[in-house]
Amino acid sequence: MKKSMNAWSAAADESFEEMFSHLSACGFAAVELNVDEPGHSAHSLTMETSEAELFKIRETAAQFGLKIASVSTSLYNGTLGAKDAAEREKGKNILRKQMICADALGTDSVLCVPGLDVSGGASLKEAFEASYLALSEMKQEIEDSQIYVCLENVWNGFFTSPNDMAAFIDRLNSPYMKAYYDVGNTVAFSDTVSWIHILGKRIQRIHVKGFKRNGGLNSGGDFVDLLSGDINWPAVTEALSAVGYDGYLTAEVSPTREYSEMLTFYKEVSAQEDAILKGALL
């Protein structure tokens, strides 16, 4: 497994070149880029980013020895699970843009968030059917692109058990629709290691973050540094190895204290990922 960081974890005012330089110096093998609204950060992709710009970004990353781990986005907001077909089409167009970005950037995976359109009044059952419909309508496009569409468990009440997530992926019945498992997003209410064993070979990408419960399950909690929470990292890496995962561990983290310079934060996250990969805690 290899170390990666999501670009949301970097200082918003850093250019692509500055961010790549810093992450490379700190020992990361890759970075996950994001499609955001214009002006979100100096290193965001947008729906308007051109192919020429994408190739330039890929070239700049390569100059610093970095790969692009995958392409995420902040734009879905329940569109894939919407009742309204026009809203679902917006979600499908976001996914199409991610796939274009991934191909130009030299990665084989994008992060996709199916889910609940709360503002549109869709029930969970309706959101499951709408999300399934939207993704199944794109099945041929996805398979033709040979880009893995990796569905993530996020805090939207959509995937609340590994069995639900596995069943949804299996129903799509495509070798290019898989799981993007976020290890930290299930700690508040579940055993994160069990998710890995149940999702198994469906896992194509991994997010890592720390989470500290207030007590037992369903007692609330907070995101913390990677090694400061309730995640048994040796058990996580053992489970990932057991299911054959050997890809990126992408840290999606935020500073939990003030830093005089963000380079110190990147170094700390890199060291924490080293500890995770070695099966030990600092």
Side-chain angles (χ1 to χ4, degrees):
M1 288 176 268
K2 300 172 285 291
K3 296 189 298 182
S4 171
M5 180 184 274
N6 183 284
W8 286 327
S9 299
D13 61 352
E14 289 185 354
S15 67
F16 283 104
E17 184 171 359
E18 289 170 331
M19 178 178 66
F20 295 157
S21 172
H22 291 158
L23 295 185
S24 175
C26 293
F28 289 96
V31 59
E32 179 175 60
L33 299 181
N34 309 291
V35 180
D36 298 311
E37 293 288 355
H40 184 274
S41 78
H43 50 255
S44 286
L45 309 173
T46 72
M47 294 294 285
E48 290 74 41
T49 302
S50 69
E51 189 172 46
E53 289 172 316
L54 291 166
F55 281 122
K56 178 62 177 175
I57 292 166
R58 176 179 178 176
E59 181 182 77
T60 303
Q63 290 172 358
F64 292 98
L66 286 178
K67 299 286 189 182
I68 307 302
S70 46
V71 177
S72 178
T73 183
S74 59
L75 301 181
Y76 281 116
N77 298 319
T79 50
L80 287 176
K83 287 182 178 181
D84 181 64
E87 280 297 300
R88 292 198 301 276
E89 194 62 30
K90 290 180 184 177
K92 289 158 69 175
N93 285 334
I94 294 165
L95 179 52
R96 290 183 179 109
K97 181 62 177 183
Q98 287 178 272
M99 291 160 60
I100 290 169
C101 290
D103 183 59
L105 292 167
T107 183
D108 65 359
S109 298
V110 301
L111 182 154
C112 177
V113 180
L116 204 54
D117 176 30
V118 177
S119 62
S123 69
L124 183 57
K125 182 178 185 298
E126 290 169 328
F128 261 84
E129 292 305 314
S131 297
Y132 171 75
L133 177 63
L135 290 167
S136 61
E137 288 172 344
M138 290 188 67
K139 183 175 178 177
Q140 194 60 56
E141 285 180 64
I142 292 167
E143 293 181 352
D144 288 346
S145 75
Q146 298 187 330
I147 299 293
Y148 291 98
V149 173
C150 308
L151 311 182
E152 189 176 41
N153 55 301
V154 299
W155 292 77
N156 64 351
F158 192 72
F159 291 135
T160 56
S161 88
N163 297 300
D164 287 344
M165 191 172 181
F168 187 86
I169 292 169
D170 290 350
R171 184 182 175 195
L172 288 165
N173 192 30
S174 171
Y176 285 97
M177 285 190 256
K178 305 192 79 172
Y180 201 131
Y181 181 56
D182 189 307
V183 173
N185 280 351
T186 60
V187 177
F189 63 90
S190 191
D191 170 35
T192 196
V193 174
S194 294
W195 283 68
I196 296 169
H197 287 301
I198 291 169
L199 291 173
K201 296 289 187 181
R202 300 174 188 85
I203 297 174
Q204 176 68 18
R205 286 291 189 272
I206 289 285
H207 266 158
V208 293
K209 56 171 66 95
F211 189 88
K212 181 71 175 175
R213 301 184 193 119
N214 289 334
L217 295 178
N218 300 307
S219 62
D222 291 294
F223 290 112
V224 294
D225 292 343
L226 279 172
L227 305 182
S228 299
D230 290 307
I231 298 173
N232 183 339
W233 288 112
V236 166
T237 53
E238 181 180 358
L240 288 171
S241 294
V243 301
Y245 185 78
D246 193 33
Y248 295 110
L249 298 185
T250 297
E252 188 185 28
V253 293
S254 299
T256 57
R257 61 180 178 85
E258 292 293 325
Y259 289 87
S260 58
E261 57 177 16
M262 284 295 285
L263 191 61
T264 303
F265 170 63
Y266 306 152
K267 288 177 180 177
E268 288 182 2
V269 175
S270 180
Q272 290 161 7
E273 283 207 66
D274 283 336
I276 289 170
L277 289 170
K278 292 173 183 175
L281 300 183
L282 289 175

